[in-house]
Amino acid sequence: MAEKKLMYGNHAIVEGVLAAGCRFFAGYPITPQNEIPELMSIRMNEIGGVFVQTGSEVAAINMLFGAAAAGKRAMTSSSSPGISLMQEGISYIAGADIPVLVVNVVRGGPGLGNIAPAQSDYYQATRGGGHGDYFTITLAPNSAQDLYEFPRLAFELAEKYRNPALILADGLLGQMMEPVELSDELVDPNSLAENEWALSGCKGRERRIVRSYDLRPGKLEEWNLRRIEKYEKIKKNEQRFEATDCDDADLVIVAYGTCSRVSDAAVKMARDKGFKVGLLRPITLWPFPWDVFADMSKRIENFLVVEMSCGQMIDDVKLATECRSKIHFHGRPGGGVPTPPEVYKEIEKVLGGAQ
Amino acid sequence: MKKIFGRPAGLTEILQRYCPGCGHGIVHRIIGELLVKLDIRERTIGIAPVGCSVFADEYFNCDMIQPPHGRGPAVATGLKRTRPECIVFSYQGDGDLAAMGTAEIIHAAARNENITVIFINNAIFGMTGGQMAPTTLPGMKSTTSVKGRDIRKQGYPIRVCEMLASLDGPYYLERCVVDTPKNVIRSEKALKTAFMNQIDNKGFSLVEILSTCPTGWGQTPIQAKKWLGEAMVQYYPLGVYRDRSKEEK
Ligand SMILES: Cc1ncc(C[n+]2csc(CCOP(=O)(O)OP(=O)(O)O)c2C)c(N)n1
Ligand code: SF4
Ligand SMILES: [Mg+2]
């Protein structure tokens, strides 16, 4: 029987990363994710993994580049300002087609902002983030259970497509406590297959080069076009979402992470009052679950996008619905967290007074 | 016919695109030879910088990686910690190591990371067309200090070996120069020590090599060699700045 444990979201990430067979962590403290490096320093020591507290997030992401280029599962975690510093490295890693896992426990911004939960790094996460044409696979957990399970999924997707993967959490998910069902099947790092691109010394084989540059005329263009083919495959195969009560809905709320939990409560309030309201929760933010939106927009008249930002995911909802439906928005930037009554009020605004 | 001179197996057959009189080629050859002499070529992972030697990933005949400008020591840390059986070296210029990557090299040295760093100090940004480097000498001309580096506005050069020697961390620090055959042989000896230290799990070794950039300096190869041995050596004194093996005895 799988063990159930009450855990902080940030601790669930650590156990999930270790359960996924990752034995390399490099990072730099920043609130609200300090519990990750703290527990990681203890746990890596216990199980013979590597923990490095770095001089900066720039160093952390580049240590990941090295560890992952050596063919090992490697992860780092940070919060918004630190993730900004990592963008150069993520671009190089994406350009070299190397799988790594980056966790962003998002806080209020821009700048130093505050340490309250936020979703204002959505653009950065889903548009590549650094320079050049690239995307990172981006997963949006909404529970401690997800925080435990998504690292493994993220590594599997990252390796399958040779692409960096991102888990986009927020300060609330990281700091809250919830029961987590732990997996019986822990990944043994030694059981992971050696990659045909990993650096390990060229004994008995051709030497290998990991790099993101190609100065030969036309070659970088070709390389980018091949990467686009990969992205098309990811878009086709990996769209994930959760749809609740959407079949008969006059209005569907679109929300991920913490906002999807808040919106879930608002949907229940609305249903109690007789409103036909559903919830569509994107689980992959990139690839965005475009297909389900394209399909739903043929029947659903209203979408209400709820975000802890000034409105970023709303762009993807508009694109995915091709503006066939009416798109409403409720956002709380700068560390604000919407409440269920607040979201319910927005529903009433769209659908009229009590039914 | 008997072959008396050829490429060491530590270098690939690819033609190196360095300018005539450039010091990078000399240091490449030393490393290429050491990979064979120390029998480590097949377990070595090299790191090419951003700079004229970015193409080192094609020139060294071993596994190679090419990271962002200045981040070699961090990438080396990730490689070495996950593959301790491999020999990891980071090859870096002065812009790469002493400007962009100052934080990365200081922290790798402070952690006494078991890696080998080869630092090519040619006092200029060769790759981007001869701009001022953190190691450009006072009064020295560059394309961003056309009347000579003005220390009142552009500050003083950084002496990397001396700076790192202020830390307890590093195991071995030496500054050499590749202006004469004798000094090339001295450089090879220093680099051999730097690789041996890693093989023996001693920790962080850095060899700074004062080197020519005739193109960036606006000199002929002969002039450059002379200026290297005089002006550069005068500002950057040669010698061993740290050798913990001496303390161990
Ligand atoms: C982030 C970033 N900034 C700037 C550059 C441009 N750039 C490329 S090489 C270089 C300086 C190289 O000088 P050095 O490290 O001394 O190497 P050299 O060519 O002299 O051997 C610069 C500034 C870059 N590639 N990346
Ligand atoms: S520009 Fe300078 S450092 Fe670059 S290859 Fe030419 S001589 Fe060498
Ligand atoms: Mg230089």
Side-chain angles (χ1 to χ4, degrees):
Chain A
M1 248 282 284
E3 189 194 345
K4 229 177 182 173
K5 230 175 130 176
L6 196 62
M7 285 175 113
Y8 282 110
N10 281 337
H11 288 173
I13 295 174
V14 174
E15 293 306 330
V17 163
L18 299 179
C22 172
R23 294 294 180 269
F24 186 93
F25 175 94
Y28 186 93
I30 182 169
T31 310
Q33 62 82 59
N34 291 322
E35 297 77 13
I36 300 175
E38 283 168 1
L39 182 60
M40 202 60 102
S41 72
I42 297 167
R43 294 286 284 124
M44 283 298 192
N45 201 32
E46 281 170 5
I47 59 177
V50 179
F51 167 87
V52 189
Q53 182 168 328
T54 63
S56 70
E57 290 84 355
V58 174
I61 192 69
N62 283 289
M63 286 186 196
L64 250 63
F65 191 16
K72 308 293 183 181
R73 286 192 170 175
M75 76 89 65
T76 184
S77 65
S78 186
S79 181
S80 312
I83 300 290
S84 290
L85 272 184
M86 290 186 193
Q87 293 306 327
E88 178 201 44
I90 296 174
S91 168
Y92 274 69
I93 291 168
D97 302 304
I98 297 294
V100 297
L101 169 59
V102 176
V103 174
N104 184 358
V105 184
V106 183
R107 62 188 243 178
L112 194 55
N114 60 22
I115 56 172
Q119 296 183 323
S120 37
D121 298 352
Y122 180 93
Y123 281 150
Q124 185 195 55
T126 58
R127 266 60 181 170
H131 61 284
D133 269 324
Y134 75 93
F135 295 99
T136 50
I137 297 164
T138 305
L139 304 177
N142 81 350
S143 64
Q145 187 68 40
D146 282 353
L147 289 169
Y148 177 74
E149 288 174 10
F150 281 14
R152 182 166 176 172
L153 173 64
F155 275 121
E156 285 168 1
L157 292 174
E159 284 159 11
K160 181 172 172 192
Y161 297 103
R162 292 189 55 180
N163 204 71
L166 203 79
I167 292 180
L168 199 68
D170 63 60
L172 205 145
L173 293 172
Q175 301 291 332
M176 74 184 182
M177 266 189 134
E178 276 189 330
V180 175
E181 197 169 310
L182 302 176
S183 169
D184 298 323
E185 289 163 43
L186 307 182
V187 177
D188 175 1
N190 298 319
S191 74
L192 297 168
E194 287 276 327
N195 300 303
E196 78 283 0
W197 44 262
L199 305 179
S200 56
C202 62
K203 193 174 169 66
R205 61 161 170 79
E206 290 276 295
R207 72 195 200 91
R208 293 172 183 161
I209 305 177
V210 170
R211 65 176 164 205
S212 60
Y213 82 91
D214 197 331
L215 303 186
R216 294 170 299 174
K219 290 292 175 193
L220 188 65
E221 185 174 4
E222 275 172 34
W223 195 358
N224 271 275
L225 290 172
R226 277 203 303 282
R227 196 170 296 115
I228 294 296
E229 279 171 30
K230 167 172 100 177
Y231 291 150
E232 288 306 321
K233 259 189 223 153
I234 299 175
K235 286 183 189 175
K236 189 164 159 276
N237 300 333
E238 309 299 347
Q239 296 181 28
R240 286 169 168 77
F241 62 91
E242 205 174 66
T244 318
D245 293 337
C246 291
D247 288 344
D248 65 340
D250 295 322
L251 179 147
V252 165
I253 299 181
V254 186
Y256 68 94
T258 289
C259 279
S260 67
R261 298 284 291 267
V262 172
S263 299
D264 194 45
V267 166
K268 289 200 177 81
M269 289 173 70
R271 284 268 165 190
D272 284 347
K273 297 253 161 85
F275 290 112
K276 289 183 179 155
V277 176
L279 174 64
L280 182 52
R281 169 203 167 204
I283 293 174
T284 50
L285 300 182
W286 197 92
F288 195 68
W290 294 282
D291 297 351
V292 64
F293 280 96
D295 182 43
M296 273 194 194
S297 64
K298 289 176 196 143
R299 341 179 237 113
I300 307 288
E301 206 184 320
N302 295 290
F303 286 96
L304 169 61
V305 182
V306 179
E307 294 183 73
M308 296 186 313
S309 75
C310 295
Q312 301 192 7
M313 180 175 66
I314 186 172
D315 289 1
D316 281 332
V317 176
K318 284 181 181 169
L319 285 169
T321 56
E322 295 176 4
C323 298
R324 274 189 289 263
S325 316
K326 285 184 213 130
I327 314 292
H328 312 272
F329 179 69
H330 181 65
R332 294 285 306 273
V337 181
T339 61
E342 207 177 295
V343 176
Y344 170 75
K345 244 197 202 138
E346 295 299 317
I347 297 169
E348 256 194 357
K349 256 197 229 163
V350 177
L351 296 182
Q355 302 275 297
Chain B
M1 220 168 44
K2 198 175 141 216
K3 189 172 171 184
I4 56 164
F5 192 78
R7 238 171 241 260
L11 295 177
T12 61
E13 290 298 321
I14 294 167
L15 197 66
Q16 294 180 8
R17 283 159 282 191
Y18 295 116
C19 306
C22 175
H24 277 302
I26 302 172
V27 184
H28 279 23
R29 183 170 179 101
I30 298 174
I31 297 170
E33 283 177 0
L34 282 174
L35 294 181
V36 179
K37 282 185 194 161
L38 301 176
D39 195 20
I40 53 173
R41 186 184 72 82
E42 291 184 324
R43 62 178 175 117
T44 292
I45 306 172
I47 299 170
V50 177
C52 280
S53 45
V54 64
F55 302 116
D57 63 359
E58 303 208 332
Y59 302 156
F60 290 117
N61 192 12
C62 58
D63 275 9
M64 293 291 296
I65 181 169
Q66 200 295 303
H69 196 28
R71 318 303 178 203
V75 171
T77 302
L79 286 165
K80 187 68 186 182
R81 296 281 190 114
T82 49
R83 296 226 181 244
E85 72 281 7
C86 287
I87 300 302
V88 178
F89 75 85
S90 177
Y91 186 103
Q92 301 179 256
D94 41 81
D96 198 82
L97 183 140
M100 191 61 84
T102 319
E104 281 71 36
I105 193 66
I106 288 177
H107 285 272
R111 290 192 306 268
N112 194 27
E113 228 32 87
N114 190 25
I115 57 171
T116 303
V117 179
I118 299 113
F119 168 40
I120 306 299
N121 180 358
N122 56 14
I124 202 102
F125 286 7
M127 177 76 160
T128 39
Q131 297 85 3
M132 188 182 74
T135 50
T136 295
L137 302 186
M140 180 178 164
K141 285 185 180 151
S142 75
T143 56
T144 49
S145 58
V146 286
K147 291 187 176 163
R149 181 176 187 157
D150 178 353
I151 48 163
R152 287 169 311 170
K153 288 184 188 153
Q154 298 175 304
Y156 290 87
I158 294 176
R159 292 190 180 96
V160 168
C161 279
E162 289 86 334
M163 179 177 71
L164 294 181
S166 75
L167 305 170
D168 291 340
Y171 187 82
Y172 188 80
L173 302 166
E174 180 168 357
R175 182 182 291 126
C176 301
V177 59
V178 286
D179 63 332
T180 63
K182 183 168 156 254
N183 282 333
V184 170
I185 291 168
R186 174 66 228 178
S187 302
E188 178 177 358
K189 204 168 151 251
L191 283 170
K192 185 177 170 193
T193 307
F195 276 109
M196 283 308 296
N197 288 340
Q198 186 179 163
I199 293 167
D200 296 337
N201 290 314
K202 296 295 188 188
F204 183 91
S205 298
L206 177 144
V207 179
E208 173 174 347
I209 298 185
L210 304 178
S211 176
T212 46
C213 175
T215 308
W217 296 354
Q219 299 179 3
T220 65
I222 309 255
Q223 287 168 335
K225 204 132 273 195
K226 191 160 175 289
W227 196 79
L228 174 65
E230 291 167 4
M232 286 287 281
V233 171
Q234 195 191 7
Y235 199 88
Y236 296 108
L238 306 179
V240 177
Y241 285 82
R242 171 68 55 79
D243 185 358
R244 287 231 300 265
S245 72
K246 296 266 157 55
E247 298 158 30
E248 282 166 5
K249 272 170 202 157

